[in-house]
Structure formats: C-alpha cells, structure tokens
Amino acid sequence: MEEAKKVTDFGSDIFGAEAIRQYLSKDTAKKLLSTIEKGEKLDPSIAGEVAHAMKHWAMDRGATHYTHWFLPMTGSTAEKHDSFLEIKDGEPMMTFSGKNLIVGEPDASSFPSGGIRSTFEARGYTAWDPTSPAFIKRHGNGATLCIPTAFCAYTGEALDKKTPLLRSMQALDKSLKHLMGLFAKAPAHVGCTLGAEQEYFLVDKKYWEQRPDLIMTGRTLFGAPSAKGQQLEDHYFGTIPNRILSFMNDVEKELWRLGIPAKTRHNEVAPAQFELAPQFEELNLASDHNMLVMDVLRNVAEKYGMKCLLHEKPYAGVNGSGKHNNWSVSYGGKNLLDPGTNPSDNAIFLTVLTAIIEAVDKHADLLRVSVAGAGNDHRLGANEAPPAVISIYLGDQLAEVVERIEKGTSGKGKKAGSLSIGVDILPALPKDATDRNRTSPFAFTGNKFEFRAPGSSVCCSGPMTVLNTIVAESIERIACELEASGTCGKAKPGEHTTAFHKALQNILQTSLKEHSRVVFNGNGYDADWLAEAAKRGLPNAANTTEALKALTKKENIALFKKYGVFSDRELKSRHEIFVEDYETRVRIEGVCARDIASEMILPAVKKEYASSLAAFAQAETLGVAAGTAALKADVTTLGSGLDKLGSEIAALDAALDAHDNAAIIDAMAAMRSTVDSLEHKVAAWPLPKYREMLFLY
C-alpha cells in the first residue's frame, strides 16, 4: 500500500491546531481546541494568551496589521485593518490584546441594516468566532492577520450572515439531540458538513475592460450568440489549456496554505467556464472558506491577465454558474444520511430522511427565497440549472423504500407485507445506487443532499441557515410526537420495543403521505413538470420579486423566531435589504444598458448606416446596378434598427424614470434583441463579441 505523504504547506497560513499547540501553553491549547472541535463554550480567561500567541504567529509570517473579517449583508466580506503598532511611553511597540481579539467596533453606518439601526447611529460590533481559524491574507509585499467574526448592531441584533448560520446550527443541534435521546443514543456532538462546488467563468482582462456591462453588472447585457458555443459538448471535462491549468495550480496553492481542501478542478459545460470543488468541512468553516475561495479566484485571475466572473449568467444562451451546496448532518461522528447495516441505524436514517422531506415540502418557499437574486433569476430553469420549483430527487431505489413506508406495502416485485421500521433491514444503498439528477434543485446523492439551486455568487450561509432551521423544526416535531406516544422508555441502543417502532412507523407514514408530493425523480427541464408541480400544489416563484414574499409570511416569521435564528426585526430587515438589493441591481443594469446603447451602439450603427447609404447613393448616381440591391437592403435593415433602437432607448428611459422594475427588465430584453441582431450588420462593433470572450487559450 502506498504511504500517504503529508502536504507540508497545507494550513501554513491559518492559526489552526498545529499552530495553537506550538504557540500556546498546553492547558490553553486544550481549552481552545475543545471549543473549536467539540463546540464547548469558550473560556474568556484564555483570550489574552491566545491574542499574544496569535500576534507572534502572524508576525512570524510577515503580518504587521490585523483585521476582524466578517460577512455583512452586502453578500461579500468586510475588513478594517489596524496595525499592531502602539506608542507606549514614547516607545513603538507591537501589541495585540485579548480585547482586540474578542471584540471590535467598526463603523456600521454604511452597511445594509434594513432599519435595524439609523444612518446616524454608527456603532457596530464584531465578535471573534473561534471555530473558524484566523488566517493570513497576503497582498503585494505585506500580510494581514484576519480574524473571522460575527457582526452585530449596538442592540445585539445580527447585521451579518454568520450569526444566523451559527444560530441555525444550534437549533439543529438541540433538535437532533432530542431525537437521538429517544433512540437511546448517548449525548454526542452534532455536526453539519458542507462541500460547496464553485463554478466560475474566466475572461481576458482586455475584453472585460472594453465591456462596461461586465464592469458594472458582472454580466453581458448585450451579445449575439457565437457560432460555436457549448453545442458540441466538447468543453466539459476537456483538456484544460496550459494557461488555465497554471492559474488553477496557483489558486490551489493559495487555498491549501489557507487550509482550504481544494480537491477537484475541471472544465465546465460552457466555453471559458470552470469548477473548483473542495472536500467536506464543518458547515460554518466551509461557508467562510467559500468566501475566501471566491476572493482567491478573483485575485489570482488578475495575475494571469484575466477576470474571474462569478455572476450566475455572465453570457446569455450558455450554461450558467451555480454553487452546489452538498450538505449532511452527523451525530457522534456518524453521518445520519448514510444508511446503516442494522435495523436501529436504518430507523434513524429513515426518520432523518422523512424529516428532510417534510421540511423541504413545508418550506419550499423559504428554500427558494434563500437562493433568490437578480443574477439567479437569469439562471434558474435555464441551461444546466434546476427550475425555480423546489423538489427532491431520491433516486428510484430510495424512492421505493419511501413509497413502501407511505403506503404500507412491500413495493414493486416484493412479497406481500410492509416494510417494518426497526425490523426490516434496508436494501443496500451504495453511494452510486442511482444516477445523478442535474435537473433537481435538491438531490440525494448517496450520503448527503446536494442543493443545486444556489447561484455562483451567493454566500453559502443564507441557504444553509434556512435548511438547518426547517430541518430542525421537522426533527423536533417528530421527536415530540414520538415522545408523546409513551413508547420510548429507557431502552438500550438497538433494543427498542415493537411498540416504539410501530409508533415511529405511524409517524413517518403520516408525514410521508402528506409531504411526499415534493419527491420528483424525473426531468426538471421538462415543460410538463411545471404543470405536474402545479397539480401537486408545489409553489413556483419564477422571479426574485415573487420569492421574497416568503419572508413576510406570518408562519415563516414565527418559525425563525421560535428557533432563535431571526427575531421579527431581523427577518424584516432581511426582507428590506433583499428588496433594495434587487431593485438597485436591476436599476444599475437598466442605466448601464441605456448608456451602452446610447453612447456606443447607436453611434456605431449610425456610422455604418451613413456609410451604406453613401455607397448606395453613389452607386445610384453612377448608374451602377451591381450591388445596389444588397446596399439598399443594408440601408433598410440598419435604418429600421436605428428607429427601433431609438424608441427602445426612450422606453427604457421612461421605465427608469418610473422606477418600474418589471418595465425596466422588459425594456432591456427588447433592446437586447434589437442590438444583438444589429451586431451582425455593423463591421466596427464597439464591444468585444462572444466569439472573442468565450475562448481562452
């Protein structure tokens, strides 16, 4: 057997377990690692020693400054750098106290708050999150110590994406411990894991600089299809060009130094589109790491004369970019989404599976809103992306097991009788028991669920906060009903009574009868599915405006409040922030489209029109017959295009003046159709074309 070789540089830029043991005393290291690895409460008395050690570790790596790194409601990251330098008694000293580590006070006045705080109230607080290790951010000839933190208002209300995620993990932890106690399992650590596959496009910087739409909005607002796109299906998993492979190598080296286990890289479906996938990590850490992945992709691309595009749909007509969130949950180190080899473990697996099915069906609107955004509106339901209707894919084998429980039958081809939970052993379910379903928003893939609906630019915390919360509710409901049955007793693991398993089976059967409508193993791209989904009563929020209504529903407000994830005010603030973000992005796109059409496209078309008209007039004057028909056709096409484009610019202007989002979007679509048709008629087109931008060598 080949001996595994340690990657010596992996995690060298994080204050992880190795650095903690090296720079801290044994007792302090033990306390801090217990908080990080077991979720135990942080002992505040160790903060001073940890800060001192962290400063020395960071300075040994060239750092002169530190920052509290956090995730405000902008959807990106934020940081304010302070140097370690302080003047004491006239002497310059490099210091970093426990207080500097634990809490910071950045100005919160310009961050989105959704009414939680007034503009004139500037206080905001960052609080150290020890479960996500501090890291070194390198830049040019310097380095900064970055400390992951939560971000809250003066009132203590969350202004970030990390705090609700941590709260949701706590809610799931509580519900699962309740359930597992009924199964006579000893208290153990509840773990959530995430593997976030990141899709992205690369484009030569020289083209990006000539495209105001890419600069301002992240996507091309105009652009006729390239003769060759993805229709030959030759890019996916194809040979990676040397330039791109060198870029990927540098990306992975930086990620590995940051302790991010980047594992897989490959060409994606569309030309110039690629994917990076890490190994699974603890959920909160994986969410932070994905934000760093996007940062590293952008920074390294610059070194290669490229720009990394993380918009969900930078190019029309080709594959969009998603961020597949592979989620699972464990208890005492055992993955609860991995079917067991004995009746007791299988009963737990089926209980958790049923809870997830119930959660997704009851709260499909919340899962949909968690992935809503102006960019994802262009992706969902388009090339290689799941539809906006939220459904679950289980695969034929597992779907049959669920059907047997629901209907109390043995299933197709089986002997008479029913599947008895806690007695029958499930059929072996290998990880590849069924094919993958790329069209499903929420697919079971062997021992985890893959949430495929999130867009490439989204912060993982949002969708995962919703998923944790709704699953916590369903698990708690099942646990309470099971407890109320009076059949739990004090059995040892694996020794529950027949009455216990019968009560459990009845609970799961009732739930599945009500919620199995959300299970769909077919083709999500099929137009018939939308009609079928409507018959089943599944919601279909086709755009962000519709999806955001879910955050105002009384039952959803009550859900988040019950599990301590969002207060009424915090959820209301999210709704306000998301609405404003959507409207602002639509308006930016509208203004940008109008400006490009007025200042770049229209003059180019006029010039081409004038040239064709002059050539036609000269031919007529000279009495030349050859070519006049073609020239006349060009003049007619270009002239009609000018008239149409002029009126469409006016229509877009009117929509912008009226602040009508729907009208802005419609006016932009009409204008794009006209502009893209003119692209083939104008020799000196003012914008780089798709055929230039989509192919990198």
Side-chain angles (χ1 to χ4, degrees), residues 495-545:
E495 296 182 4
H496 282 93
T497 63
T498 301
F500 172 86
H501 287 119
K502 186 176 180 180
L504 177 62
Q505 180 145 340
N506 289 337
I507 292 169
L508 301 191
Q509 184 179 46
T510 300
S511 176
L512 290 171
K513 281 182 177 180
E514 184 176 351
H515 300 292
S516 63
R517 63 176 184 167
V518 79
V519 176
F520 176 65
N521 287 335
N523 180 7
Y525 294 159
D526 195 327
D528 291 341
W529 163 233
L530 295 182
E532 171 64 21
K535 288 181 182 177
R536 296 186 186 191
L538 301 181
N540 181 9
N543 55 56
T544 295
T545 300

Side-chain angles (χ1 to χ4, degrees), residues 547-558:
L548 286 172
K549 294 177 182 177
L551 296 181
T552 63
K553 293 181 180 178
K554 291 181 180 179
E555 59 269 30
N556 291 337
I557 295 171

Side-chain angles (χ1 to χ4, degrees), residues 327 337 349-365 367-368 386-400 402 434-446 448-453 467 470-471 474 511-512 514-524 529 532-533 536 538-539:
W327 173 89
L337 293 179
F349 165 73
L350 290 171
T351 302
V352 174
L353 179 68
T354 299
I356 292 171
I357 292 171
E358 178 180 313
V360 173
D361 183 47
K362 283 180 64 177
H363 299 294
D365 59 340
L367 285 175
R368 173 64 181 91
V389 176
I390 301 296
S391 64
I392 293 179
Y393 169 81
L394 294 179
D396 294 338
Q397 193 173 3
L398 189 53
E400 183 179 347
V402 168
T434 58
D435 201 355
R436 294 180 66 199
N437 190 327
R438 295 175 61 86
T439 72
S440 175
F442 199 78
F444 183 75
T445 55
K448 62 187 184 301
F449 274 98
E450 182 181 24
F451 192 18
R452 296 179 60 86
L467 182 57
I470 64 176
V471 172
S474 293
S511 176
L512 290 171
E514 184 176 351
H515 300 292
S516 63
R517 63 176 184 167
V518 79
V519 176
F520 176 65
N521 287 335
N523 180 7
W529 163 233
E532 171 64 21
R536 296 186 186 191
L538 301 181

Side-chain angles (χ1 to χ4, degrees), residues 537-650:
L538 301 181
N540 181 9
N543 55 56
T544 295
T545 300
E546 286 299 311
L548 286 172
K549 294 177 182 177
L551 296 181
T552 63
K553 293 181 180 178
K554 291 181 180 179
E555 59 269 30
N556 291 337
I557 295 171
L559 169 70
F560 287 117
K561 184 177 181 179
K562 177 181 178 181
Y563 288 92
V565 177
F566 291 114
S567 67
D568 293 5
R569 242 164 63 103
E570 286 174 331
L571 194 62
K572 182 180 179 182
S573 76
R574 265 68 185 168
H575 178 261
E576 185 176 320
I577 289 168
F578 295 153
V579 168
E580 183 177 357
D581 179 83
Y582 174 75
E583 292 178 346
T584 301
R585 290 181 187 278
V586 169
R587 183 166 186 81
I588 289 171
E589 287 191 354
V591 172
C592 187
R594 180 201 62 195
D595 291 349
I596 291 174
S598 300
E599 299 167 13
M600 300 177 74
I601 307 298
L602 202 61
V605 178
K606 285 179 180 178
K607 187 175 181 180
E608 188 76 16
Y609 173 75
S611 176
S612 297
L613 184 61
F616 174 70
Q618 188 175 13
E620 287 277 281
T621 300
L622 296 174
V624 177
T628 54
L631 286 170
K632 185 176 181 180
D634 283 346
V635 169
T636 301
T637 299
L638 291 165
S640 297
L642 278 173
D643 290 340
K644 195 173 182 183
L645 185 56
S647 63
E648 287 167 348
I649 291 172

